[in-house]
Amino acid sequence: MTSKEIYIQLTNVFREVFQDDGLVITPATTAEDVAGWDSAAHINLMLAIEARLGIVFNTSEIDEMRTVGDLAEAIERKMN
Amino acid sequence: MEFHQWLPECPAFSMRLKQLDGATPDQKIADLKFLSQQRLDFVKTNALATKIGTMMSSLGAEHVAQCGPAVKIALVSSHTVSHLAGGISVGALRRGFIAELFFGQYGLYRNELLQPDPNLKTFAPNVIVIANDVHDVNFDLSLDSTHRDVRLAIDAKISELARLWRQARLHFNATIIQQTLLNTHYNVFGSYESVLPGAPCSVIELFNARLREVAAEERTLLFDFDLQAALKGYEQTIDRVRWHQAKQLVSPALSPWYGDLLARVIAAAYGLSKKAVVLDLDNTLWGGVVGDDGIEGIVLGQGSAAGESYIDFQRYLQGLSSRGIILAVCSKNDAAIAEDVFKSHPDMLLRRENIASFVANWDSKATNVRRIALELNIGLDSVVFVDDNPAEREIIRRELPMVSVPELPDDVAHYAACLSAAGYFEAASFSKEDVERADLYRANSRRQQEFSETTDMEGFLKSLDMRLEVGRVSKMNIGRVTQLTNKTNQFNLRTVKYTEAEVDRLMRDKEALALQFRLKDKFGDNGIIAVILARPNERWPADTLFIDTWLMSCRVLGRGVEAASLEALSQYACELGLKRLIGEYRPTARNKMVSDHYQKLGFRRFVRGVDADSSSTFWLMDLPPANTLTHHIEVDITNDEQRDLHPANERIPRSISR
């Protein structure tokens, strides 16, 4: 999966989890930029990405993700 | 983990969710209910729950009421639970009620219940769910502890919990639900684990076993989450990462599953569980089409795996029948040919007399299911429709959306498991009434037959040899009485729904009369068929008894029970020194049949200034009554009711709860 395809998929998951059809994400997006992205929502987001993309994050990876860019890179590593 | 396989998949979920915004209020309610009956993962479940929340607050009360009673649920816990909100509210709507939720603070459940917490007090919960975990209960036992050591340690923890339940009941007047401990311990010995009472897994197993007993004695409802998790498999249901991340005992991904399980228990307490299964025949109860293949050609019984599987399914249905679930048949078949299988096939396990209503013809199934519900005198929302044919299922879902239609698997070997997993028949009590229900419906159909043959009504009623046994509501029948206040919508003068805790309070109230009525006749025992709850009320003089609740089961309509009940009520009231009765008729969409109830009994109508604009009517009768009404029932006033299986409580026998 290319980086672009990952962002398309990620955008869909973000929109579904945060229930906002207009949500736009970039590599620099952080939790502060998205309404409702608190620690509980973060867990929901990780689980939704795992379910939709068919991957599993390690416990240590979850702690390290600070930006959407980190997230996309972790996904790319797992998928390729 | 896969869950909710009995629900159909919903490919156009997001679109349907969006379309909700522009819909009319009636359409919104219908669509929300429809969507709650689909198989949804946690993200979709949360999205639906958000919609339910916003729509319920914007729609009028009369629309919200179409979704069932509003139940205020407080979930107090020793771990994180707020992420379960979406699963619980969707589960609630699916099971026929609206959940209003309150979540306790992480780990503070004891303080919240004991102090009690002012926010929780303001919330005024109807139901309190206590969810703790093995980290919270935390036994400090060495591996070589004896059975006695372990038992003492467990009893100490459980008495502490029981004290908490009693305090919570006192502070909040709510129904208490205790969750069993999810056994998250690792196995340190392998199979030898269970031999050692002091091994961590064993201790929790023994704790849960004892909890089940004590909860029954204390009349605390049990949510056996550990059993449900074990049924699905601990490897699937225990998410270690989420525990370490956020002290979530249940993963957000499993919140729809958890929410549905909890909603079933609450639904059962509110009398919302299903009552009847309507069964198709060909390829549902046996393999093949009896009309084409003949009785000797159908697949049933030993000799083939499929034949054995149909027997297995029939055995499960028989089990449901023996615990009081009504079985009915709805089949596109020639009636004589279909009935002949029940009478003549040697391997047939279900007998014709197990079937309370047998409809085999060529009419549409929607028409027939309506007919069956009418004949059995139950609501369509109490019916589960079981059919192997996806087209028939679709038709019922479209025509009769209130009927539950499980998505039956392709393979008959999984039919019973599918129906069992769907949790339609969750119980909050189990009594002799339930055991006898099948007999009851059979006797009723015989009575119905004799009645239709008679031309002399008086003579018929006399010939029934009816006896009405009247007594105060007691521990032994409180479950049934509560159930009746929640289930009875037609013959119900004010339609006040009670929780068991509220009935319990009335039962203990010296000034109140909480009466239950049991009708027997020559065909058998009809069980508890009427309830009257009455109490003097500050709105009227102290010597006046206000009838808060008068309800009756429709299956004994037209037999003079009302007049006989009034006779008993008057006698009780006179003994308390009361001078008059006041009754109110509060109209709802479904209780028109009792609008002239008090008038027929000889009450005088009066108008209350304050309520001049309300739709209620008020009725008065002086005591003792001036004239007695004719009826053909012997009234027998008893002081104790000793008919339940479990004299001290309505404990659910383990063999049945599993």
Side-chain angles (χ1 to χ4, degrees), chain B residues 367 390 650:
Chain B
T367 310
E650 278 193 344

Side-chain angles (χ1 to χ4, degrees), chain B residues 285-297:
Chain B
L285 288 192
W286 55 72
V289 177
V290 67
D292 297 338
D293 306 334
I295 190 163
E296 58 293 321

Side-chain angles (χ1 to χ4, degrees), chain A residues 19 21 43-44 47-48 52 62, chain B residues 18 41-42 47 50 245-246 252:
Chain A
Q19 297 168 32
D21 289 341
I43 297 175
N44 287 352
L47 284 167
R52 297 286 194 276
I62 299 171
Chain B
K18 277 200 198 86
D41 71 2
F42 81 103
T50 307
Q245 242 180 336

Side-chain angles (χ1 to χ4, degrees), chain B residues 51 116 168-169 193 215 229 235 242 255 291 350 373 378 415 417 467 507 579 616:
Chain B
K51 273 285 191 272
R169 235 175 248 132
E193 189 98 15
E235 283 187 18
R242 255 35 76 184
S255 66
L350 287 175
I378 55 175
Y415 282 5
R467 198 171 85 211
M507 208 172 86
K579 294 281 179 284
S616 285

Side-chain angles (χ1 to χ4, degrees), chain B residues 275-344:
Chain B
K275 296 177 190 162
V277 193
V278 174
L279 298 154
D280 172 49
L281 295 178
D282 293 328
N283 290 317
T284 299
L285 288 192
W286 55 72
V289 177
V290 67
D292 297 338
D293 306 334
I295 190 163
E296 58 293 321
I298 59 173
V299 180
L300 182 68
Q302 291 175 6
S304 75
E308 300 244 11
S309 303
Y310 285 107
I311 289 293
D312 183 59
F313 184 45
Q314 290 198 13
R315 189 168 295 118
Y316 177 69
L317 293 168
Q318 220 173 29
L320 287 180
S321 166
S322 62
R323 57 146 285 199
I325 304 302
I326 308 162
L327 304 185
V329 160
C330 173
S331 167
K332 285 189 174 161
N333 246 315
D334 180 282
I337 295 174
E339 290 205 51
D340 192 40
V341 180
F342 283 78
K343 288 175 190 144
S344 316

Side-chain angles (χ1 to χ4, degrees), chain B residues 51-71:
Chain B
K51 273 285 191 272
I52 294 172
T54 51
M55 295 207 162
M56 289 305 152
S57 52
S58 65
L59 289 171
E62 74 279 16
H63 282 107
V64 175
Q66 290 173 28
C67 297
V71 181

